[in-house]
Structures are given as C-alpha cells and as structure tokens.
Amino acid sequence: MSYTRKRPRRSRTSPLVREMLAETRWSTDSLIQPYFVTDKPGAKIEIPGMPGIFRESPDEFLAGLEEDVKLGIRRIMLFGVTEHKSEDAAFAYAGKNPVIEVTKEIRKRYGDDLLVFADVCLCAYTDHGHCGLVIDGQIDNDQSVPVLVRMAVALADAGVQWVAPSDMMDGRVGAIRDALDDAGHVDVGILAYTAKYASNYYGPFREAAESAPQFGDRRSYQMDFRNRREAHLELELDDLEDADWVMVKPALPYLDIIADFRERTSLPVAAYNVSGEYAAAKLLAREGFADEGLLVIENLTAIFRAGAQVILTYHLREILQNGWR
Ligand code: PBG
Ligand code: ZN
C-alpha cells in the first residue's frame, strides 16, 4: 500500500530521464551581445556595476571584437557614447558617430559572418539626455521622429543589418520602415523596442552610455510598469507599422508581457536582459550567494520559457568563455 499512485517524481529520478523531458532548450545562437563604443580615443573604461562590460574607443572595441568572434560571438548590438551632445542631436547621424565608423570597419572585416544591430535613440546625443528632442520643455514626438529616421538611415548606409529603435516615440517604426525602403535598404530589419518600460533596472546602462536625463524622467514616453494591456496596444501598433521583431524590456520582471507577446503575435519576440538584471546577478555571485553560471543559465532559460526567441544579454561573452550550460 503506497501513499499515492501519482508520482511526478518518477520523471525526475535520473539525468537520463530529465534530459528527455526538458521543455526549454536554447543555444547561444539566440543571444545578442551589446557593446558601448565611444569616440574618446584610447578609452577602455569598465562600467560601474557591470564587471566585464566596457565603454571603449573604436580601436579597443575592434580589437576586443576580434577575440569575441574567435570565442563564437556572431550577433552584436552597438550603442554610441559621445560628448558631442546638442539640442538637435545631430551627432546621432554624423559620419564621425563612433557606431557609424566602427560599423563600416566591421562590415569590411567580417562581411556576412557577423550580424550587426544598432541602437536608434537620441538620449546619448541630446544635451539633456532625453530620448527625443525637447521643444518648449516637452519631449516632442513629431520633431523627434525625423531625427530618428535620419539616424536609422545613416546606420543602414554604414552597413548595419538591423536597426533597433529604443526611443518609444509614437509612429517611428513605420517612419523608419518607409525611409529605409526609400533609401533602398529593403533588407535592413527593424527590431522594435515595442514594450519598453520606465524601469529602475537601467541604472548601469545610463552610466555606460552617459545618457541619464538631466531633468525629469522618461515616464512620458516609456511605459508604466503597472500596465499590461497597454503593451498589447504597443504590439498592435508596431505590427501595423511593420516591425520585423518585437521586443519586451526589461526581461525578468516582465515575463508576463513576454508570454503575452508570444501568444498574440506571429512575429519573432525578443527580450532585453538589461544592465540592472546583469548587475544583480553579478552582485549575488560576487557575494557568494549564487553560482554565477547556474544563476545566469536559470535567468536566461526563464526568459526563453516565457516565450522569447531572442535575448539581448551582457552575459553572452562569459557564457561562451566559461562554457556555462
Ligand atoms: C536608451 C536605452 C536604455 C537602454 C537601452 N536603450 C536606457 C534608458 O531607456 O534609459 C537600457 C539597456 C540596459 O539597461 O541594459 N534608449
Ligand atoms: Zn534613449
């Protein structure tokens, strides 16, 4: 006589059984490594709170990339960092923009062996650090979109295969698609930051990109973290505007939104495992409260399990270096 005939534990008894039944499997082919490229010559500055992640000059970046490619990194996201900040964010699309400069070199060196995604946003280029232009004290949607469009086209001209608008202005995905097509860049994809929340997990990034807003906050354009249905509206709109992929950001505190996207759209769903999530994992590991490799794999597996097909994560390099799995 046993206590129960129903024993889910039978399916967990041995590694051979567990491996058969694992529902979520993923590979590093679905991960994108972000980089911060500055126009400051010779710079290689580790980001406070993000051990292993640097703000680096084009030369330093290209040297490091060589190593990363040997390691197996094939998909990268580029963010620009500069002191050339102005009211009109003109450096966002200037020939001297460090992202534009390195992209040309990357495409020369690696051709189609590397997939280059580039951030499209104004916060690193405006003197006030907001993601759009400020007109009469307000972040002005319709004055900002043409600048974002110009930036996206300049990046595509330089050779990026994907642009990733992270600004959250209304209508920018459709405007960027029109402009890319008009410029002959029909094969350049748009990875839209569709549901980007006004999050407290972006702290280390703002340090990295020197892009913290000088006044106010980003709540007039990024989403309120109390809202779920609003993410569905953003999804409908980015779908109508012909985004190729839709992204949820941050990732770990927003698994419900990722799961909703997976159900509601046939477009590929991406998630951004952001700087604060990276910093949190690093802190737990550094204090000896978790095994870093196991923690990182658990975090990323949870994001995939929720429904993401692609994850942007600062952990990619160390996953490859250490063979975490
Ligand atoms: C800015 C931007 C941010 C991130 C990506 N693009 C920060 C912000 O909105 O303030 C965050 C990435 C991260 O935290 O890793 N458009
Ligand atoms: Zn921004």
Side-chain angles (χ1 to χ4, degrees), residues 79-82 84-93 97-99 121-127 130 151:
F79 292 95
V81 188
T82 181
H84 289 97
K85 298 176 190 289
S86 61
E87 211 178 349
D88 62 0
F91 206 65
Y93 49 80
N97 178 310
V99 172
C121 197
L122 305 185
C123 52
Y125 306 99
T126 50
D127 47 14
H130 277 291
M151 181 180 188

Side-chain angles (χ1 to χ4, degrees), residues 66-81:
E66 194 69 39
E67 297 306 307
D68 287 349
V69 170
K70 281 185 205 145
L71 203 56
I73 290 181
R74 294 288 179 275
R75 299 154 189 94
I76 66 176
M77 169 70 77
L78 301 178
F79 292 95
V81 188

Side-chain angles (χ1 to χ4, degrees), residues 38 40-46 54-57 60-61 64:
T38 165
K40 204 176 274 170
K44 178 161 179 164
I45 298 155
E46 196 164 35
F54 297 84
R55 203 187 309 137
E56 38 194 358
S57 67
E60 292 287 341
F61 162 76

Side-chain angles (χ1 to χ4, degrees), residues 26-36 50 52-53 68 73 75-77 79 191 193 247 251-252 270-275 277-279 281-282 292 295-297 299-301 303-304 310-320 324:
W26 54 272
S27 90
T28 50
D29 282 328
S30 301
L31 304 181
I32 302 173
Q33 174 77 41
Y35 295 83
F36 300 97
M50 299 182 76
I53 304 297
D68 287 349
I73 290 181
R75 299 154 189 94
I76 66 176
M77 169 70 77
F79 292 95
L191 165 54
Y193 286 66
M247 183 149 66
L252 288 170
Y272 200 140
N273 177 223
V274 301
S275 59
E277 298 171 54
Y278 177 84
K282 284 283 179 192
E292 185 174 353
L295 183 67
V296 166
I297 297 303
N299 282 348
L300 295 177
T301 302
I303 299 165
F304 282 120
V310 165
I311 303 177
L312 282 103
T313 181
Y314 302 97
H315 294 296
L316 174 55
R317 181 184 299 112
E318 285 183 306
I319 292 172
L320 293 169
W324 290 336

Side-chain angles (χ1 to χ4, degrees), residues 31-282:
L31 304 181
I32 302 173
Q33 174 77 41
Y35 295 83
F36 300 97
V37 189
T38 165
D39 48 5
K40 204 176 274 170
K44 178 161 179 164
I45 298 155
E46 196 164 35
I47 315 300
M50 299 182 76
I53 304 297
F54 297 84
R55 203 187 309 137
E56 38 194 358
S57 67
D59 288 349
E60 292 287 341
F61 162 76
L62 288 166
L65 184 60
E66 194 69 39
E67 297 306 307
D68 287 349
V69 170
K70 281 185 205 145
L71 203 56
I73 290 181
R74 294 288 179 275
R75 299 154 189 94
I76 66 176
M77 169 70 77
L78 301 178
F79 292 95
V81 188
T82 181
E83 271 159 29
H84 289 97
K85 298 176 190 289
S86 61
E87 211 178 349
D88 62 0
F91 206 65
Y93 49 80
K96 293 263 179 230
N97 178 310
V99 172
I100 290 175
E101 281 193 343
V102 297
T103 296
K104 291 182 187 157
E105 191 56 34
I106 295 168
R107 294 309 310 277
K108 234 185 277 168
R109 289 189 190 184
Y110 302 101
D112 291 336
D113 294 338
L114 207 57
L115 214 47
V116 184
F117 297 74
D119 184 62
V120 174
C121 197
L122 305 185
C123 52
Y125 306 99
T126 50
D127 47 14
H128 44 69
H130 277 291
C131 299
L133 300 186
V134 172
I135 314 282
D136 297 332
Q138 306 284 339
I139 289 96
D140 191 301
N141 195 90
D142 295 13
Q143 302 274 345
S144 302
V145 170
V147 186
L148 293 160
V149 164
R150 212 166 152 181
M151 181 180 188
V153 173
L155 289 163
D157 288 345
V160 307
Q161 294 104 319
W162 287 82
V163 292
S166 67
D167 52 282
M168 287 301 277
M169 296 301 124
D170 293 328
R172 92 283 204 207
V173 169
I176 289 171
R177 184 71 270 158
D178 283 340
L180 288 174
D181 289 355
D182 286 348
H185 294 303
V186 294
D187 291 328
V188 171
I190 302 179
L191 165 54
Y193 286 66
T194 298
K196 179 178 181 183
Y197 284 86
S199 172
N200 296 289
Y201 283 92
Y202 303 150
F205 175 98
R206 290 181 188 173
E207 182 90 24
E210 297 175 339
S211 66
Q214 298 302 300
F215 66 89
D217 54 43
R218 302 207 199 286
R219 286 185 291 179
S220 78
Y221 43 105
Q222 298 181 350
M223 287 178 55
D224 187 320
F225 56 68
R226 294 172 292 188
N227 295 348
R228 182 170 182 172
R229 294 184 68 242
E230 189 187 356
H232 308 158
L233 171 61
E234 290 286 2
L235 176 59
E236 285 162 23
L237 295 176
D238 278 2
D239 193 351
L240 288 170
E241 291 176 41
D242 298 319
D244 292 281
W245 301 354
V246 289
M247 183 149 66
V248 175
K249 177 183 173 188
L252 288 170
Y254 296 85
L255 297 180
D256 54 337
I257 312 299
I258 295 171
D260 286 357
F261 274 34
R262 177 64 172 228
E263 225 166 77
R264 283 163 188 264
T265 179
S266 308
L267 296 174
V269 175
Y272 200 140
N273 177 223
V274 301
S275 59
E277 298 171 54
Y278 177 84
K282 284 283 179 192

Side-chain angles (χ1 to χ4, degrees), residues 282-297:
K282 284 283 179 192
L283 284 172
L284 281 172
R286 195 222 281 161
E287 296 299 315
F289 294 130
D291 176 283
E292 185 174 353
L294 296 176
L295 183 67
V296 166
I297 297 303

